[in-house]
Amino acid sequence: MRLKLVAALVLLALALAACNKKQKAQTIGEGSTSAGAGSAAASASPLPTAATITTPAPPAKVAVDQTAQVIVYGYHRFVNQVRRPDTEITPQMFEQQMQELKNRGITVIGMQDFLAWKRGEKNIPPHCAIITFDDGWKSQYDVAWPIMKKFGYPFTLFIYTEGVRGGHFGGGEAVTWEQLAEMRDAGIDIQAHSETHQDLRKPYDKIAKKKLSPPEYEQWLQNEVGRCKDTLEQRLGALR
């Protein structure tokens, strides 16, 4: 009986020793594997990072105040003795009117600024005025322009090309192409005002003294508008 007990104890001790040895071997193996994996991860090259492409944001749209108020002044001839008050004014009265705009705090803007405002592209002052001169009288160059320069006001000339000096209606009181070029070079806005300054609502050519048929009237309208613009561009460069 004692031998059996001793044998059992010996076998139990051997089994425990074998178990501890196996567990130790497993622990060593696990530690080696972890170290190897860590070493491999440390030695591997990092993955390339894709560059971030930034799309520029579109420019913010201008918030345009459409409640601004604009008044347009149209002038023709500047004379010392007024006989046609519908189209004539004395230099003194004209200068007084320009001064009044300044006194009242009304900003004078250019026609192109007004059109940009109408297109929703820019703001203009809450109360402003536009000054225009029609037809191309010489007094616009001699009288009105110096006054406008005094106040620093922009303005627009509406020219009918046959009314310029040398044209069908261009007499001694008409502006010359040289004077128009000088004003253009100074930044004055020059625009088309038809070719012969006729009433475009009526199918009648007063130069040819002829009543126009519908096809003739349509062609005449195109000539009045198109040829005026073409002539101005040939003489003065592209219109704004």
Side-chain angles (χ1 to χ4, degrees), residues 183-198:
M183 299 173 84
R184 172 209 60 198
D185 293 342
I188 303 305
D189 185 29
I190 301 176
Q191 298 296 330
H193 190 37
S194 82
E195 185 175 46
T196 61
H197 201 271
Q198 299 189 54

Side-chain angles (χ1 to χ4, degrees), residues 65-171:
D65 178 13
Q66 294 292 348
T67 64
Q69 296 179 328
V70 184
I71 184 170
V72 181
Y73 289 85
Y75 295 95
H76 293 77
R77 297 184 67 193
F78 301 87
V79 297
N80 291 321
Q81 294 184 346
V82 174
R83 295 184 177 87
R84 294 281 306 272
D86 56 336
T87 58
E88 295 177 345
I89 187 173
T90 65
Q92 294 77 18
M93 180 61 69
F94 175 68
E95 186 166 0
Q96 288 176 15
Q97 291 180 359
M98 297 301 101
Q99 182 66 52
E100 187 68 14
L101 291 173
K102 184 176 182 180
N103 295 344
R104 291 178 177 269
I106 299 176
T107 304
V108 177
I109 65 172
M111 180 67 72
Q112 300 308 316
D113 289 334
F114 170 74
L115 295 176
W117 172 68
K118 291 293 289 182
R119 293 192 297 265
E121 297 172 356
K122 67 181 299 183
N123 275 300
I124 58 175
H127 304 284
C128 49
I130 299 171
I131 310 299
T132 68
F133 301 132
D134 278 1
D135 302 343
W137 295 96
K138 184 174 177 290
S139 60
Q140 296 169 6
Y141 172 87
D142 291 335
V143 178
W145 190 24
I147 294 173
M148 297 296 280
K149 285 192 286 188
K150 175 181 175 180
F151 287 95
Y153 291 163
F155 60 92
T156 296
L157 292 171
F158 287 102
I159 302 296
Y160 77 99
T161 48
E162 285 297 326
V164 179
R165 184 82 61 84
H168 190 87
F169 301 104

Side-chain angles (χ1 to χ4, degrees), residues 7 61 79 119 139 150 171 173 175 178 187 193 199 232-233:
K61 189 174 181 181
V79 297
R119 293 192 297 265
S139 60
K150 175 181 175 180
E173 295 300 317
V175 72
E178 291 75 20
H193 190 37
D199 188 345
L232 288 173
E233 290 183 340

